[in-house]
Amino acid sequence: MSNLQKLSLGYFAALMIAASLNYIPGLTDENGLAFGIFALDIYDDALHVASALWALVAGLLSYRAARTFLILFGLAYLGDGIFGFFTGYGFLDLGIFTNPSAGLDFSLLRVLANLPHLGLGGLAVWAGFRSAPA
């Protein structure tokens, strides 16, 4: 099993954890914010589970499937995190279409809210493009 396949399986685990955050007692505050930073709804959970299953299949299937997952997933999640800075919402959960823009903001809460997508997306893109095509 290649390192990219192992990384894809790591993304499976990370995304399943993200999908479970709303269901672990004590991780959400009285306003429904996970860690007091961001809200996750059923659409976010479904997106995380679908992405996790994609990561699992890609990781188990082949090096090429894992590389494709990391590049495509990474670009989508990285872009979603960048959109979060400009609008306060992402495009993957259709938030930019259902909410008015909150404008550009580099406050600590906005950074923390977008950091998971920036980090996961950035690492995936870097790993996928850094590896040599098989």
Side-chain angles (χ1 to χ4, degrees):
M1 180 173 283
S2 72
N3 286 337
L4 289 188
Q5 288 174 273
K6 291 175 187 175
L7 183 58
S8 290
L9 295 178
Y11 271 77
F12 165 74
L15 290 162
M16 289 304 289
I17 290 169
S20 70
L21 290 177
N22 277 342
Y23 312 102
I24 300 173
L27 293 185
T28 56
D29 65 11
E30 62 278 354
N31 297 321
L33 299 176
F35 306 110
I37 300 171
F38 49 85
L40 295 170
D41 58 25
I42 191 70
Y43 301 108
D44 296 312
D45 295 338
L47 179 65
H48 288 128
V49 169
S51 298
L53 292 175
W54 182 21
L56 177 64
V57 169
L60 294 175
L61 199 57
S62 68
Y63 167 86
R64 185 174 177 184
R67 183 173 187 263
T68 299
F69 161 76
L70 290 167
I71 291 171
L72 295 178
F73 166 87
L75 290 172
Y77 269 56
L78 182 61
D80 197 62
I82 292 169
F83 255 83
F85 281 116
F86 287 97
T87 67
Y89 302 98
F91 59 81
L92 291 174
D93 66 354
L94 306 178
I96 61 170
F97 304 108
T98 58
N99 300 292
S101 176
L104 180 64
D105 184 2
F106 290 103
S107 67
L108 180 59
L109 283 180
R110 183 77 65 93
V111 169
L112 292 174
N114 289 291
L115 197 57
H117 280 217
L118 293 172
L120 286 172
L123 176 62
V125 169
W126 176 81
F129 280 125
R130 183 177 179 270
S131 68

